[in-house]
Amino acid sequence: MTYYKSPITRYLLRKGFLNRVNYRLRHYFRTLTKDLLSDVALLLDQQKISVIMDVGANVGFMTYQFQKRFPNAHIYCFEPNPNVYNTLMQSYKDDTHIHCYPMAVGDVSGELTFNINANTGTSSFLYPTAYHRAHQARKILSQQSVPVITLDDFALQQNITHIDILKLDIEGYELKALLGASCLLSEQNIDVIYSEVNIVRSYDGQVLFHELTKFLEGLDYHLFNIEGFIAQETLIRQAVLGNAVYFSGKFQKRLEERFGKENCGW
């Protein structure tokens, strides 16, 4: 054990020391600067990005991030919370590339009762768990009937045949939105899915990260990367939620052609 206790033998005299230092430095730099959306933009930079769906747009933070990286794309924003939607609409009312809709996305088109929480960013069709109420959602202020549309129906109405990026941040309702996109998904007409995912349930009936991943794998959509779990932890350091990116099998093939299959991790 003396060998490992001595910094000189453990580090300085160890074979490949400089390579190890270089690896560690790159690792730390990547950890500090990791931005999953920028990674996606890097991989999409050689194709024309035309359609982005921002489902659960809130006041438009992610819409702004998409617009910076893909200035020529048409971004379709869905936000069912009336007060939040007004802020979103006012921010982008003069932008012809941003299209805002005061509605939710789900598995069936129609109307549903929406729970508006004290923390507006946690408002959902689902009821928050005890942990989520105590730490984020707080109490339900009101309930309101809001319009809901499936992505398949919306795409048909708007004559959209392909979605480059589908972003989902709808407080536990992500699987419902994907079920409502069954036609688009079965035809591999969505390239990238950027979704909030949970390891601890924030809402009653919410599917967890591994369940959502299994569902998408059954449709030939595969996990690419994750982020944000360290920022969302319980007091005992259990990860709560983060973001995950999934690629369609068809998009993976294009990446193989561009970068070489040997350089892809699947």
Side-chain angles (χ1 to χ4, degrees):
M1 296 299 295
T2 304
Y3 178 89
Y4 289 102
K5 288 181 180 180
S6 168
I8 294 176
T9 54
R10 186 176 181 183
Y11 297 108
L12 295 179
L13 299 182
R14 195 173 181 182
K15 186 178 180 180
F17 171 71
L18 293 178
N19 288 335
R20 292 174 184 273
V21 169
N22 182 51
Y23 173 81
R24 288 292 180 92
L25 289 175
R26 286 190 290 110
H27 169 74
Y28 293 138
F29 180 78
R30 170 67 172 162
T31 301
L32 291 171
T33 61
K34 183 175 180 178
D35 177 2
L36 200 47
L37 190 56
S38 293
D39 293 344
V40 170
L42 175 68
L43 298 176
L44 289 168
D45 71 349
Q46 290 191 5
Q47 72 179 66
K48 180 182 178 182
I49 306 304
S50 301
V51 176
I52 297 172
M53 299 285 181
D54 187 351
V55 181
N58 202 271
V59 297
F61 171 75
M62 285 296 288
T63 302
Y64 171 70
Q65 298 300 320
F66 285 128
Q67 192 178 41
K68 282 199 308 181
R69 293 167 175 82
F70 311 104
N72 296 318
H74 283 271
I75 306 174
Y76 298 83
C77 306
F78 301 85
E79 177 50 55
N81 189 324
N83 295 330
V84 175
Y85 173 77
N86 288 333
T87 302
L88 172 70
M89 183 183 63
Q90 288 301 316
S91 297
Y92 294 105
K93 63 181 180 180
D94 297 322
D95 194 320
T96 58
H97 280 75
I98 310 295
H99 315 277
C100 300
Y101 298 88
M103 60 177 62
V105 171
D107 58 333
V108 179
S109 296
E111 288 195 356
L112 281 175
T113 300
F114 189 67
N115 302 310
I116 299 176
N117 297 331
N119 179 352
T120 58
T122 66
S123 300
S124 174
F125 290 117
L126 306 178
Y127 286 92
T129 61
Y131 175 84
H132 197 39
R133 288 196 304 272
H135 293 274
Q136 282 193 311
R138 301 195 291 275
K139 64 180 181 179
I140 296 174
L141 296 180
S142 63
Q143 295 179 312
Q144 185 169 334
S145 181
V146 300
V148 183
I149 194 167
T150 68
L151 286 174
D152 282 340
D153 286 348
F154 182 81
L156 190 62
Q157 291 175 12
Q158 300 294 323
N159 197 29
I160 294 171
T161 58
H162 181 267
I163 298 171
D164 296 291
I165 303 173
L166 168 61
K167 170 258 181 180
L168 298 170
D169 184 358
I170 44 179
E171 306 306 309
Y173 220 64
E174 289 78 14
L175 178 59
K176 294 288 189 180
L178 291 170
L179 289 170
S182 58
C183 293
L184 288 162
L185 291 169
S186 64
E187 297 296 327
Q188 296 269 292
N189 284 329
I190 302 174
D191 284 345
V192 177
I193 299 171
Y194 181 105
S195 179
E196 185 173 85
V197 291
N198 278 62
I199 290 178
V200 173
R201 283 186 178 85
S202 295
Y203 300 90
D204 294 336
Q206 177 183 22
V207 302
L208 296 179
F209 178 27
H210 66 283
E211 297 169 309
L212 190 70
T213 299
K214 184 176 181 179
F215 170 79
L216 286 169
E217 284 178 345
L219 295 167
D220 196 20
Y221 280 80
H222 307 280
L223 182 64
F224 170 69
N225 211 329
I226 58 175
E227 69 173 0
F229 287 100
I230 293 176
Q232 293 281 352
E233 290 185 335
T234 67
L235 185 63
I236 61 170
R237 300 184 179 181
Q238 180 182 13
V240 177
L241 59 84
N243 297 307
V245 165
Y246 302 87
F247 289 161
S248 71
K250 187 183 293 186
F251 182 59
Q252 283 186 324
K253 292 293 184 184
R254 296 209 300 269
L255 292 177
E256 288 178 11
E257 292 171 2
R258 179 180 170 190
F259 293 100
K261 188 172 183 178
E262 70 279 6
N263 294 314
C264 300
W266 48 81

